[in-house]
Amino acid sequence: MNRVWPDVGETLSNLAGQPGLGCEHADIAFEVNGAAISVNVPPLRRLSSVLRDELRLTGTKVGCDAGDCGACTVLVDGEPVCACLMAAASVAGASVTTVEGLANDRLSALQASFLAHGAAQCGICTPALLVAATALLDKTPRPTEEEVQDALGGILCRCTGYRKIIAAVMDAGRFELSTDRAAPHPPAGTFSPYSDGEKGEAATDIDRRMPVSGSAVGSSPVRLDGIPKVTGDEKFGGDSFPADALAVLVVRSPHYHATFDFGDLEGWARAHPGIAGVFTAADIPGKNCFGVIGPFADQPALAEGFVRLRGEAVALVAGEREAMLDLDLSEFPVRWSELPHLLHTAEAQADGAALIHENRPDNLLTSGFVERGDPEAALAGAAFTVSGAIDTSYVEHAYIEPEAGHAYLDGDTLVIVACTQAPYMDRDETARLLGLAVDKVRIVPTATGGGFGSKLDVSLQPLIGLVALKTGRPAALTYTRSESMMSTTKRHPAEMRATIGADADGRVTGMVFSGDFNTGAYASWGPTVANRVPVHASGPYATPNYRAVGRAIHTHGPISGAFRGFGVPQATIMQETLYDELAGKLGIDRLDFRLKNCLRDGSETVTGQRLESGVGIAECLEALRPHWERAKTDTDAFNSSHTYRKRGVGVASCWYGCGNTSLPNPSTIRVGIAADGTVVLHQGAVDIGQGSNTVIAQICADALGLPLDRFRLKSADTAITPDAGKTSASRQTFVTGKAAEKAGRALRDRILRFANVSENASLLLEGQALVIREGEATRRIDLFSLEVDADGFVFRAEETYDPPTLPLDAKGQGKPYAVYGYGAQIAELEVDLKLGTVKLIKITAAHDIGKAINPLLVEGQIEGGIAQGIGMALMEEYIPGRTENLHDYLIPTIGDVPPIETILVEVPDPEGPFGAKGLGEHVLIPTAPAILNAIRHATGVLITKVPATPTRIRAGIREKDGIRAKEAGA
């Protein structure tokens, strides 16, 4: 795809040298979405800024301002370009089309296809994909997959795994005949994609999957929040800044470790017209310390006198938007004295190493421990043992939406509107930092353009809150891409060692595991990683003798926090690669070896928890068997006729405990029926693309016994919705879903008691009447005749669910999770032995999700997780100071993700809603070890430093060849 339109003339770079085109404003006329417009802006102003800030066409997103992510793609005279790379002067006289203009307030065929295929998850990249695909379809109405990949290759998506995007574009022609009567937008605030009687013909293929009353669970209705994602109406963190908001910039440390002091801040501010204020730690009215886990809180919102990591915030500058656009922070009056720094765990643990936090000896944040039986004796008596060591790297979340939000005062209440995964946690942290009562802070989450764990930690919330408090004006801030990457959390780098033993029959008898996890300068979710890893490092296998230790160690590196799996993906690489080696020593097929040892109903885990039912790992592995046998046959056939390219097939399994580890984990849901016959769901679980808005409503609808299209969402807002907990740890479908099931059933019970009928009665809403039928009897309740409560409800219920867990004792024995999810994946790939490059051929994924509440959304989660696993395995390596953009930091593109075959396994767990289990993190875990095992199968080399880049693969092959040559010479 051409992301810089070659025919537009002068771009930002070659316009910059022309006289008179700097900050002076000029009238620039062009056409946008068919309408003639004129703007008065500096000619060098980015087109993306003009569209968003001047014309309020916020469907055009900005993810990098460098042309790396493609989120700002628009059409200029029909050709796709990156609007962030185009100067406003360059479009004078041209015609610009944004996502808002694709269908003129209707759904185009392509937009309808995106909805039908579930091609939009968080939605931040969706407008750009739609715009670029529209240009493709205008020229090539029936594109091939290769043509779609080429056209969309410059647009990054972090959520979907691209496969449904490709399918939606290729399938758009099915909707073509109905585009002239496409469906209108839904009424504001409704859950249903269409209001009653307003479905146009373009919705035909969508309607097939809309559930009828009593059958929402198990169906795949269009995402209930889907239409705004495809029309560009969805509002993310940076899309609704008040016109009078002060713009906020953050002064950050260029050093990993340094002391600092300020110069004349007031004089500097006076010298720059338009600055409203400069704020430092001295201005913070509360306790300048935060952290997601209270006892470990250690991070200042603004550093005081010294910094512990590169990118740490030390000051804020707030001012009028135009003034801040041209402000050069390199002249900010701060003096730095750089100090020695420690970036690696070995350095931080060395004798005499300086302490990063004085109260944490040996730079150890905390450790987790699980022990069962006598692992040393078991390993000593094993017929076969294998040992190994693997290191993994920092991995950046790389969500396409950088952190963004604004704050304002509503009376004496501070309101923060921002992207987040944890609104109630944000509220509590912000209140503490700013010295406010909790009820004087309101968090209103926007749509969140990807999170994957990093948006659990507060970032800009207290910063914009401080400016709003101090100035009395709204304050807005959007992180730059480099700012986001240098200052927010990463996946923990891990240094791991393990030994596993088995008896002569191939039964695993014992295992020891040790992992050091680089938690960076501050605690964040380090304690969770240290404690979750030892519980999971055995994999979903019976391991009677076991010891695992996980340590979170401080360095001056980036803060490591939550990232889809909390350390379990790293530990699984260690365990699953050793399982392949052990199977080889035993002479047992790798899949059979896993089946022989996997957990089953009645098994005990390494924490001594007896799994009575719902254990689906064996079913996952069995579902893969025909694919495994076919893949091995295909691989052998290919390898027999190729010398310098070799194929390999790998398999890996996973398990994952849903929710917090041995800690309270409640969610609360409120649901009621209003006098107008609307079912109102107060649903506080933040949907970051995974589909909780839809899934939780489906669960509640079936529990209540009313159709999904009568539901209206009151989404996450700490002022109006109960706390549904954080969106993490694969907990929302399970925990909040269970609360929704309980609330739906409780509301149904209240109605049935009111009507004096049995539980066999059916419910029906007809306008403003509730009709209850039991047998031949029918009762009609006029809802307007009933008393209305403060929330406008005539019937209501509110229920809380907290999974039943037990604490872990000193040896890590107990019941850390109420429900586990399971999965297994096969990776097929080809390695160029001369270049070390890897071409993925296919991934087959079988996941036990208990009950697929929404099969289409489940598939989307699996595909998106696999794409992130591909990145972790083959390319993603965050290096502080070197890969702080989406050009140098590589994530999978549309051409990097192979065909994915998904097998949904449903082994219900009685604890989950309708038997469902969590899914979001499980899907990532097996991908990297399956790929690494396939690389070893192809080359004979295990890559022990992840990611397995071409350089590392070639080095491994050369080393193996050198060893063979030596052995032959001997």
Side-chain angles (χ1 to χ4, degrees):
M1 168 188 167
N2 273 324
R3 290 190 294 167
V4 183
W5 185 39
D7 300 323
V8 82
E10 299 140 324
T11 60
L12 281 172
S13 57
N14 53 36
L15 277 170
Q18 296 192 20
L21 290 183
C23 297
E24 297 297 324
H25 283 55
D27 291 324
I28 301 171
F30 56 105
E31 186 180 276
V32 178
N33 297 331
I37 63 101
S38 179
V39 293
N40 184 259
V41 296
L44 284 182
R45 184 68 49 85
R46 297 176 190 268
L47 175 60
S48 54
S49 296
V50 172
L51 294 172
R52 290 176 56 81
D53 299 334
E54 309 301 326
L55 304 179
R56 308 302 290 176
L57 293 172
T58 56
T60 301
K61 308 303 179 186
V62 175
C64 66
D65 265 343
D68 295 327
C69 73
C72 63
T73 300
V74 298
L75 302 183
V76 178
D77 289 341
E79 295 292 332
V81 304
C82 276
C84 74
L85 295 182
M86 180 163 286
S90 297
V91 295
S95 175
V96 176
T97 303
T98 71
V99 67
E100 291 92 343
L102 292 183
N104 297 319
D105 291 326
R106 303 188 300 179
L107 288 183
S108 71
L110 180 61
Q111 288 167 321
S113 187
F114 262 58
L115 289 175
H117 284 275
Q121 288 192 19
C122 82
I124 192 72
C125 65
T126 303
L129 291 162
L130 287 164
V131 167
T134 296
L136 168 68
L137 294 173
D138 285 346
K139 296 176 180 178
T140 310
R142 299 288 188 272
T144 64
E145 179 169 332
E146 184 177 351
E147 287 171 326
V148 174
Q149 290 176 331
D150 183 60
L152 305 186
I155 301 171
L156 297 177
C157 174
R158 193 58 157 163
C159 293
T160 66
Y162 300 104
R163 300 306 305 179
K164 295 198 181 303
I165 293 167
I166 294 170
V169 177
M170 294 179 68
D171 200 32
R174 284 203 305 121
F175 298 81
E176 186 174 15
L177 294 179
S178 55
T179 52
D180 57 348
R181 292 185 58 197
H185 294 308
T190 58
F191 243 154
S192 173
Y194 309 102
S195 59
D196 293 342
E198 293 186 30
K199 298 177 183 178
E201 291 180 15
T204 302
D205 288 291
I206 298 173
D207 291 345
R208 289 187 296 106
R209 295 204 313 253
M210 289 297 292
V212 297
S213 176
S215 60
V217 168
S219 68
S220 294
V222 171
R223 297 182 68 106
L224 302 181
D225 53 3
I227 285 182
K229 296 179 188 295
V230 301
T231 61
D233 293 334
E234 186 85 287
K235 298 301 180 187
F236 294 86
D239 290 344
S240 55
F241 289 172
D244 63 339
L246 293 171
V248 180
L249 298 179
V250 185
V251 180
R252 298 186 180 276
S253 169
H255 305 293
Y256 295 107
H257 188 205
T259 60
F260 67 91
D261 59 82
F262 296 116
D264 181 6
L265 298 179
E266 290 187 10
W268 180 82
R270 284 195 301 269
H272 293 81
I275 289 182
V278 177
F279 307 96
T280 68
D283 296 297
I284 294 176
K287 183 178 181 181
N288 188 19
C289 180
F290 71 91
V292 288
I293 302 173
F296 294 93
D298 57 2
Q299 186 172 354
L302 294 171
E304 301 183 54
F306 70 97
V307 294
R308 293 185 174 96
L309 80 152
R310 187 172 184 276
E312 186 158 7
V314 300
L316 307 175
V317 182
E320 306 303 331
R321 184 172 69 91
E322 286 293 326
M324 302 300 279
L325 286 173
D326 299 316
L327 187 65
D328 182 3
L329 283 183
S330 66
E331 300 175 354
F332 187 82
V334 57
R335 293 178 293 272
W336 301 98
S337 297
E338 190 173 3
L339 299 172
H341 58 264
L342 308 168
L343 293 182
H344 304 288
T345 55
E347 296 173 323
Q349 294 261 284
D351 291 342
L355 294 183
I356 293 166
H357 294 269
E358 292 183 0
N359 62 335
R360 291 175 183 159
D362 302 318
N363 288 316
L364 179 65
L365 170 63
T366 190
S367 61
F369 180 75
V370 172
E371 184 179 70
R372 183 168 176 78
D374 189 342
E376 276 76 20
L379 292 172
F384 298 94
T385 62
V386 291
S387 298
I390 283 183
D391 296 347
T392 66
S393 305
Y394 283 113
V395 182
E396 160 66 21
H397 296 76
Y399 29 73
I400 305 305
E401 177 203 29
E403 292 72 10
H406 68 275
Y408 64 93
L409 287 170
D410 180 8
D412 61 352
T413 298
L414 177 65
V415 182
I416 296 175
V417 182
C419 54
T420 181
Q421 293 179 238
Y424 276 85
M425 291 170 61
D426 289 355
R427 180 198 65 179
D428 295 351
E429 295 274 25
T430 301
R432 189 178 304 112
L433 281 158
L434 299 182
L436 299 173
V438 168
D439 63 356
K440 296 302 180 185
V441 176
R442 177 185 180 188
I443 303 294
V444 182
T446 64
T448 297
F452 318 115
S454 188
K455 290 177 183 174
L456 290 167
D457 301 67
V458 297
S459 54
L460 50 69
Q461 291 88 343
L463 307 183
I464 55 178
L466 176 64
V467 173
L469 281 178
K470 292 294 183 179
T471 65
R473 288 182 58 183
L477 169 60
T478 299
Y479 283 4
T480 65
R481 174 54 58 183
S482 61
E483 187 175 23
S484 174
M485 293 181 76
M486 76 166 66
S487 68
T488 61
T489 61
K490 308 285 174 278
R491 185 181 294 284
H492 284 74
E495 299 172 13
M496 301 171 291
R497 293 182 174 275
T499 299
I500 305 175
D503 63 22
D505 293 328
R507 299 279 182 185
V508 170
T509 57
M511 177 179 179
V512 293
F513 170 93
S514 174
D516 287 345
F517 292 82
N518 185 341
T519 209
Y522 295 106
S524 184
W525 293 95
T528 301
V529 169
N531 284 282
R532 186 178 274 269
V533 164
V535 174
H536 288 83
S538 65
Y541 306 104
T543 312
N545 300 282
Y546 176 83
R547 180 185 302 111
V549 179
R551 289 178 290 269
I553 297 169
H554 281 300
T555 67
H556 290 110
I559 304 165
S560 296
F563 190 166
R564 213 168 190 173
F566 288 101
V568 178
Q570 297 95 302
T572 302
I573 291 174
M574 183 76 264
Q575 170 264 312
E576 285 289 331
T577 54
L578 283 181
Y579 260 52
D580 258 28
E581 187 174 343
L582 191 51
K585 277 195 172 185
L586 286 157
I588 298 176
D589 178 86
R590 292 174 285 161
L591 182 69
D592 289 338
F593 178 63
R594 287 166 170 84
L595 271 164
K596 182 184 283 284
N597 287 284
C598 69
L599 296 167
R600 299 175 187 270
D601 288 351
S603 295
E604 288 193 359
T605 71
V606 292
T607 70
Q609 179 178 354
R610 182 177 174 83
L611 303 174
E612 299 292 350
S613 62
V615 183
I617 182 59
E619 287 83 348
C620 291
L621 291 167
E622 288 289 4
L624 290 180
R625 184 179 293 281
H627 304 274
W628 176 249
E629 298 300 337
R630 188 267 313 152
K632 289 193 299 178
T633 300
D634 290 352
T635 296
D636 291 343
F638 181 90
N639 289 343
S640 66
S641 59
H642 291 79
T643 302
Y644 298 112
R645 288 183 294 136
K646 294 295 182 181
R647 288 189 176 180
V649 56
V651 64
S653 303
C654 73
W655 68 325
Y656 196 78
C658 302
N660 293 349
T661 307
S662 292
L663 291 171
N665 193 24
S667 282
T668 300
I669 287 287
R670 180 188 306 140
V671 62
I673 298 179
D676 64 357
T678 302
V679 183
V680 181
L681 180 64
H682 287 253
Q683 198 282 97
V686 175
D687 192 327
I688 59 172
Q690 83 279 23
S692 59
N693 280 341
T694 304
V695 167
I696 291 168
Q698 287 179 263
I699 292 169
C700 192
D702 275 12
L704 174 58
L706 285 171
L708 189 61
D709 61 9
R710 297 308 295 259
F711 277 67
R712 183 163 56 89
L713 175 66
K714 293 280 189 181
S715 56
D717 179 334
T718 59
I720 64 172
T721 54
D723 186 1
K726 63 188 185 300
T727 295
S728 74
S730 301
R731 63 177 297 281
Q732 291 296 14
T733 295
F734 165 43
V735 182
T736 303
K738 188 70 172 182
E741 181 185 38
K742 291 180 63 178
R745 295 192 192 283
L747 181 57
R748 177 180 174 81
D749 289 345
R750 284 175 174 78
I751 294 169
L752 297 181
R753 286 198 303 271
F754 179 86
N756 195 26
V757 297
S758 77
E759 62 182 20
N760 296 320
S762 64
L763 307 181
L764 178 67
L765 284 166
E766 293 183 352
Q768 298 166 3
L770 178 60
V771 179
I772 303 169
R773 293 193 178 100
E774 185 173 23
E776 298 298 319
T778 299
R779 180 172 179 185
R780 187 179 185 88
I781 301 172
D782 180 7
L783 297 175
F784 260 102
S785 69
L786 302 179
E787 184 179 352
V788 177
D789 69 12
D791 289 319
F793 295 147
V794 294
F795 294 103
R796 68 180 290 147
E798 183 170 315
E799 293 291 330
T800 297
Y801 175 71
D802 192 0
T805 62
L806 295 173
L808 299 179
D809 64 18
K811 288 197 170 185
Q813 299 299 291
K815 182 183 178 181
Y817 310 103
V819 168
Y820 295 83
Y822 306 89
Q825 295 176 11
I826 294 171
E828 300 170 60
L829 53 77
E830 183 179 307
V831 180
D832 186 313
L833 301 182
K834 290 186 174 181
L835 300 177
T837 54
V838 174
K839 175 186 176 183
L840 293 171
I841 298 168
K842 183 185 179 185
I843 291 179
T844 307
H847 284 269
D848 168 30
I849 33 73
K851 174 65 179 178
I853 304 297
N854 185 311
L856 186 67
L857 293 181
V858 170
E859 290 174 7
Q861 283 293 287
I862 292 172
E863 291 169 2
I866 285 171
Q868 291 188 354
I870 290 169
M872 182 181 181
L874 297 178
M875 66 190 74
E876 296 192 42
E877 184 170 12
Y878 179 81
I879 302 171
R882 285 176 51 191
T883 60
E884 291 168 355
N885 56 63
L886 293 175
H887 177 77
D888 297 308
Y889 184 83
L890 302 179
I891 68 172
T893 68
I894 198 168
D896 293 318
V897 181
I900 296 170
E901 183 170 349
T902 297
I903 303 168
L904 301 186
V905 175
E906 296 182 304
V907 179
D909 192 300
E911 192 64 37
F914 295 97
K917 304 165 184 175
L919 176 72
E921 278 144 308
H922 317 54
V923 295
L924 166 84
I925 296 169
T927 310
I931 289 172
L932 293 172
N933 283 337
I935 292 172
R936 176 160 55 182
H937 184 223
T939 65
V941 173
L942 174 65
I943 306 303
T944 57
K945 171 65 176 178
V946 180
T949 59
T951 300
R952 289 175 181 144
I953 292 173
R954 271 301 301 148
I957 292 171
R958 283 197 302 269
E959 183 180 351
K960 180 197 72 172
D961 291 345
I963 292 171
R964 284 182 176 173
K966 256 186 204 178
E967 290 173 346

